[in-house]
Amino acid sequence: MAIPAGSSGRVYKTKLIRFRGSDRRIVLQEFDGPCSLVAILNQLLLRGKLDLDPKKDVFSQEELLSLLEQRLNDLIRDITNGTAGYNPNRLQNIWDAKKKLPSVATGIDVNIKFSSIEGFEFTPELEIFDALAIPLYHGCTVDPKDRNITKVIGSKKYNELLSESVGMTTQKIKEFMEASLTTYGRSRLRNDIKDGELCVLFHDRHFSTMFKYKGEVYLLASLEAFQDEPGYWKELGKVKEGDMYVSRNFEEHKMGYHGSTNSAAPAGSDTNSDYQLAISLQQQEYEQPQPQRNNVQQQSIGASRLNSGPQFR
């Protein structure tokens, strides 16, 4: 494995996968790597909007940020010369996104709105998704039929509700606050996203590349521990013993976890315990949330040094 010359920061391994009939190389995330950078890159790589040097399998963080900057420069050029139609507002948005580009490698603040899977409070950092035409969703939405919760939440955003939650005594409200994926939210993701759409999901303080295929939504398995596994995607909200993933043709593949049929660590991983930790964390991330789930995960993250993504602002 060749380390990029002159790199002073983090480096990223890559993996070749088959997607929509083409070979695509995706970027892999370390335990403590920036999930927003990886999710954005992989969405663009799978769409064919970015290409990695085929002669290399490891890239520095500087190289990857440079790729994103070049993509923004190309968009600016296309608007300026009229190829994409002149739109001064979009042009300004892209220029603004360029200024905030380094934030995708350090963490993006997010404040969600509970009324819609597309509900996010605007921040300059989130403008990067819009500038790169990357749909961004979350699954923590409230069912309008649940009058008890909707009455309390109203139009409040996460931060507003969080500041009031100390005084709340209703267990149902507390459970909702701790959920990053509600049953209603998952149904909206499955129903509202177009089939074949590549996007990014903000889920459990983590950004993941997401794809909808034949009515189901799948998250890209992009942790380094999965480098030599043929399982590429995990269906959102469904985790079984043995941890079922799907391969290039969306056929089930059992990853190594808790004595499954492929329990040995994959070639190239440091230790079997590291591999099982990655699977365990991936399981926690994709599981249907339960009461106190977020608190438990934060404790696990602290113990394993995993930074699964930015905290709610």
Side-chain angles (χ1 to χ4, degrees), residues 66-122:
S66 179
L67 274 177
L68 288 181
E69 183 177 19
Q70 184 56 55
R71 175 61 185 164
L72 291 172
N73 287 335
D74 290 343
L75 293 172
I76 290 172
R77 179 202 62 209
D78 291 344
I79 294 174
T80 302
N81 65 22
T83 304
Y86 185 72
N87 185 326
N89 291 331
R90 174 154 172 72
L91 185 61
Q92 185 60 52
N93 289 345
I94 297 173
W95 277 111
D96 292 341
K98 275 191 64 175
K99 297 175 185 177
K100 291 294 182 179
L101 189 57
S103 67
V104 301
T106 58
I108 297 177
D109 290 337
V110 175
N111 192 15
I112 67 172
K113 302 175 183 179
F114 301 102
S115 57
S116 166
I117 60 173
E118 300 177 89
F120 293 90
E121 181 183 55
F122 172 81

Side-chain angles (χ1 to χ4, degrees), residues 254-281:
K254 184 174 285 190
M255 308 283 259
Y257 177 61
H258 288 326
S260 70
T261 57
N262 186 21
S263 59
S269 63
D270 292 334
T271 64
N272 186 59
S273 61
D274 282 346
Y275 177 67
Q276 294 204 4
L277 172 62
I279 296 289
S280 177
L281 291 168

Side-chain angles (χ1 to χ4, degrees), residues 10-14 26-28 34 37-38 40-42 44-45 50-53 56 58-71 101 104-105:
R10 188 186 300 273
V11 294
Y12 297 78
K13 297 177 182 178
T14 59
I26 62 170
V27 177
L28 301 176
L37 174 60
V38 172
I40 289 171
L41 283 166
N42 286 335
L44 294 173
L45 288 166
L50 287 182
D51 289 303
L52 297 173
D53 185 345
K56 301 171 59 175
V58 177
F59 296 83
S60 70
Q61 185 163 284
E62 292 83 0
E63 288 175 313
L64 296 178
L65 285 172
S66 179
L67 274 177
L68 288 181
E69 183 177 19
Q70 184 56 55
R71 175 61 185 164
L101 189 57
V104 301

Side-chain angles (χ1 to χ4, degrees), residues 12-219:
Y12 297 78
K13 297 177 182 178
T14 59
K15 173 182 179 177
L16 193 66
I17 72 171
R18 191 77 175 173
F19 181 70
R20 287 177 169 171
S22 301
D23 290 331
R24 297 288 181 187
R25 190 166 292 278
I26 62 170
V27 177
L28 301 176
Q29 180 186 346
E30 292 179 310
F31 287 153
D32 60 347
C35 57
S36 47
L37 174 60
V38 172
I40 289 171
L41 283 166
N42 286 335
Q43 200 271 358
L44 294 173
L45 288 166
L46 291 175
R47 281 170 55 197
K49 299 299 183 181
L50 287 182
D51 289 303
L52 297 173
D53 185 345
K55 298 178 182 179
K56 301 171 59 175
D57 57 6
V58 177
F59 296 83
S60 70
Q61 185 163 284
E62 292 83 0
E63 288 175 313
L64 296 178
L65 285 172
S66 179
L67 274 177
L68 288 181
E69 183 177 19
Q70 184 56 55
R71 175 61 185 164
L72 291 172
N73 287 335
D74 290 343
L75 293 172
I76 290 172
R77 179 202 62 209
D78 291 344
I79 294 174
T80 302
N81 65 22
T83 304
Y86 185 72
N87 185 326
N89 291 331
R90 174 154 172 72
L91 185 61
Q92 185 60 52
N93 289 345
I94 297 173
W95 277 111
D96 292 341
K98 275 191 64 175
K99 297 175 185 177
K100 291 294 182 179
L101 189 57
S103 67
V104 301
T106 58
I108 297 177
D109 290 337
V110 175
N111 192 15
I112 67 172
K113 302 175 183 179
F114 301 102
S115 57
S116 166
I117 60 173
E118 300 177 89
F120 293 90
E121 181 183 55
F122 172 81
T123 64
E125 292 84 3
L126 286 183
E127 198 165 28
I128 294 168
F129 290 89
D130 184 56
L132 292 168
I134 297 176
L136 177 64
Y137 303 106
H138 70 84
C140 191
T141 57
V142 60
D143 187 342
K145 295 180 181 179
D146 193 333
R147 297 184 181 277
N148 291 331
I149 292 182
T150 55
K151 183 178 179 180
V152 174
I153 292 178
S155 60
K156 296 183 181 73
K157 295 182 282 291
Y158 182 89
N159 288 342
E160 296 173 273
L161 197 60
L162 184 64
S163 66
E164 299 176 3
S165 63
V166 176
M168 293 179 183
T169 57
T170 304
Q171 181 63 28
K172 196 170 184 180
I173 295 295
K174 291 182 179 179
E175 291 176 11
F176 179 80
M177 285 294 296
E178 292 162 357
S180 64
L181 177 68
T182 63
T183 300
Y184 182 74
R186 182 174 181 270
S187 71
R188 293 270 52 88
L189 291 169
R190 294 176 69 240
N191 294 328
D192 296 352
I193 296 176
K194 295 179 180 179
D195 216 55
E197 180 175 340
L198 268 167
C199 51
V200 169
L201 178 72
F202 182 73
H203 170 243
D204 218 359
R205 295 178 171 86
H206 184 80
F207 292 92
S208 299
T209 305
M210 185 166 69
F211 179 60
K212 183 174 179 182
Y213 178 77
K214 292 187 177 180
E216 289 294 343
V217 284
Y218 297 85
L219 302 184

Side-chain angles (χ1 to χ4, degrees), residues 268-310:
S269 63
D270 292 334
T271 64
N272 186 59
S273 61
D274 282 346
Y275 177 67
Q276 294 204 4
L277 172 62
I279 296 289
S280 177
L281 291 168
Q282 197 88 335
Q283 181 189 34
Q284 291 178 42
E285 177 184 336
Y286 297 156
E287 250 180 335
Q288 193 75 1
Q290 300 295 330
Q292 302 300 320
R293 175 170 169 271
N294 280 356
N295 291 338
V296 171
Q297 184 169 15
Q298 288 174 31
Q299 294 167 5
S300 301
I301 289 171
S304 64
R305 298 178 293 106
L306 174 66
N307 176 9
S308 65

